[in-house]
Amino acid sequence: RGHLGCADLAADSLHDAWLRLADGAAPPAPAIANPGAYVFRMACNIAIDRLRAERPFSATDVVLEDVEDTAPGPLRIAQARSSMRGLMRLIEALPRQQREIYIGVRIEGMLQSEAAARYGVSGRIVRRHLRDARQHVESQAARLQA
C-alpha cells in the first residue's frame, strides 16, 4: 500500500499474486531466497501491469482537464489581504520598540541577538517583547473573531 499509494490496488495485486502462485500460473522458480520479497515484487509487477493497461497514453502525456489549478481565486486573495491588513493593524498598535523588534524578528527574519544589538537591549528584553507582542496579537485576534 505504501509503495503503490492505493490500498485497493495493493490488495487486488497481492490477491492476484497469491492466486497465481496457488494456481501454478507463475513460472516455477528455483529456490527462492526471500519468499516475502518475491511475493512483494510479484504484486508490484502485477499492479504496474494493471496501471499500464488502464492508461492508453504514456506517462508523459498531460491532459489539461486533469491538472488541478492550485492558485488561489479572487475570493481567497481578498480574504488573505483582509486578514493581513487586520494583522498589521494589531501590530501597529504595539509600542514602537516592541513593534519594531516583533517585525524585525518574526517577519523579516532578524536574529534575536541582532535585534538586541540594534535596539541596545538585552536578549531577555527582546524575548519579553516578542512574548508580549505575540500575546497581544493573539488575544486581540481571538477577541475580533469572537
Side-chain angles (χ1 to χ4, degrees), residues 12 64 74 110 135:
D12 289 345
L64 293 179
M110 181 188 307
Q135 288 174 345

Side-chain angles (χ1 to χ4, degrees), residues 41-93:
R41 280 192 314 273
M42 188 176 183
C44 287
N45 289 335
I46 290 170
I48 290 169
D49 290 344
R50 282 185 174 191
L51 290 172
R52 286 180 181 156
E54 291 173 2
R55 303 266 178 173
F57 52 88
S58 72
T60 59
D61 292 340
V62 175
V63 179
L64 293 179
E65 292 83 26
D66 293 341
V67 177
E68 181 181 343
D69 183 12
T70 58
L75 178 62
R76 287 190 59 201
I77 290 172
Q79 289 171 336
R81 286 181 180 161
S82 176
S83 295
M84 185 58 77
R85 282 191 299 270
L87 176 62
M88 290 310 294
R89 278 193 300 273
L90 294 175
I91 292 172
E92 290 298 323

Side-chain angles (χ1 to χ4, degrees), residues 11-146:
D12 289 345
S13 300
L14 186 58
H15 182 73
D16 283 354
W18 284 114
L19 288 177
R20 288 183 188 182
L21 288 170
D23 291 342
I32 297 172
N34 188 342
Y38 178 80
V39 173
F40 176 77
R41 280 192 314 273
M42 188 176 183
C44 287
N45 289 335
I46 290 170
I48 290 169
D49 290 344
R50 282 185 174 191
L51 290 172
R52 286 180 181 156
E54 291 173 2
R55 303 266 178 173
F57 52 88
S58 72
T60 59
D61 292 340
V62 175
V63 179
L64 293 179
E65 292 83 26
D66 293 341
V67 177
E68 181 181 343
D69 183 12
T70 58
L75 178 62
R76 287 190 59 201
I77 290 172
Q79 289 171 336
R81 286 181 180 161
S82 176
S83 295
M84 185 58 77
R85 282 191 299 270
L87 176 62
M88 290 310 294
R89 278 193 300 273
L90 294 175
I91 292 172
E92 290 298 323
L94 295 170
R96 183 191 57 79
Q97 189 177 52
Q98 193 177 51
R99 177 181 63 242
E100 290 176 4
I101 289 174
Y102 186 78
I103 289 172
V105 173
R106 295 294 183 228
I107 297 174
E108 296 173 358
M110 181 188 307
L111 295 175
Q112 290 182 17
S113 58
E114 292 173 0
R118 178 181 287 179
Y119 296 104
V121 296
S122 68
R124 186 170 153 249
I125 298 294
V126 169
R127 287 188 296 279
R128 189 182 78 211
H129 280 326
L130 291 172
R131 183 197 67 218
D132 292 347
R134 180 183 50 81
Q135 288 174 345
H136 170 77
V137 169
E138 287 176 356
S139 68
Q140 293 301 312
R143 185 182 62 81
L144 293 174
Q145 290 178 354

